[in-house]
Amino acid sequence: MNKYLQQLVELSKFDKEIDDFTPRIENVQKTYRVTKEECDAISANIEQLDNEVSDIKVQKSQTNAHIAEFAAKIKDVAKKSGLAKSEKEVKALNLEEEIAKEQLEAANEEIARLEKIIDSKNASKEELVAKKSELEAKLTQIEAEISSELEAIEKERAEVYAQKTKLVGEMNQKILTFYEKIRKWAHNSAVVPVRKQACYGCFMQINDKTFAAVVRAEDIVTCPHCGRILYKENI
Ligand SMILES: [Zn+2]
């Protein structure tokens, strides 16, 4: 095989290997990312619950203030009742007392209702906090695992890079430019094998004359249909 063609076949192999590292790295990082996102979502939920509970606590303290008012009112009415002179006055005070007692009862019921909501929200929060600490432990574990995995991948990648750099240093500049131009659109299929007399980039049949040139492998031959660089394997 022509030396330049051989170099191109090798170079395209290195380039493909280098590109293949990206999905491998992403795959390793994915587990971490998914768990992290789950953890962040739980943190947001916890914060939301905290905000809701503090809102309800404000409502509760407002209701408590009303309770104090109603209680004072009842006390006041009782005091006035003792001093009432006419029956009409007593009746009016009784009515006032009744209303205040009803309001007091309603406010107490409201407090009970709010406390129930707070309890239920706190219970939900506790569950989330437990789940979050579980996920955090998992994250620490994943982090340790992926860091060694990534290190191994990085080492492999550095080796391929070194091989590529060495090869590129030995290559003809014009051939390199030609290859890079094709690679711009063909990406990792800039240099493709011919199988069953078809280009393995565009899968079109190539004519006998081109095929013969590919088999001879004396020159760099491109596919007449797509322009990719062609080579015959195992020759
Ligand atoms: Zn082609």
Side-chain angles (χ1 to χ4, degrees), residues 138-222:
K138 201 171 150 194
L139 272 179
T140 314
Q141 196 194 335
I142 295 172
E143 230 169 346
E145 279 168 12
I146 66 170
S147 86
S148 62
E149 259 181 86
L150 290 177
E151 215 173 282
I153 293 175
E154 208 45 63
K155 204 178 150 208
E156 251 184 87
R157 181 155 74 167
E159 275 167 25
V160 180
Y161 260 120
Q163 281 174 291
K164 181 190 163 175
T165 309
K166 184 174 174 284
L167 176 65
V168 167
E170 293 163 358
M171 283 179 76
N172 174 293
Q173 195 54 48
K174 264 190 189 163
I175 303 262
L176 257 178
T177 310
F178 180 59
Y179 165 78
E180 288 301 343
K181 223 167 130 188
I182 299 173
R183 201 174 136 72
K184 257 186 198 150
W185 57 268
H187 308 290
N188 280 324
S189 68
V191 182
V192 290
V194 171
R195 289 177 196 157
K196 291 176 186 160
Q197 209 173 320
C199 160
Y200 255 61
C202 67
F203 301 99
M204 299 265 284
Q205 205 75 25
I206 53 169
N207 59 51
D208 292 344
K209 195 178 158 222
T210 309
F211 184 61
V214 172
V215 171
R216 270 201 310 278
E218 284 165 3
D219 297 306
I220 288 165
V221 182
T222 55

Side-chain angles (χ1 to χ4, degrees), residues 28-46:
V28 170
Q29 286 170 333
K30 199 181 157 199
T31 332
Y32 181 83
R33 205 185 56 233
V34 168
T35 313
K36 180 86 173 68
E37 278 167 5
E38 205 182 330
C39 204
D40 289 347
I42 289 177
S43 296
N45 276 339
I46 290 173

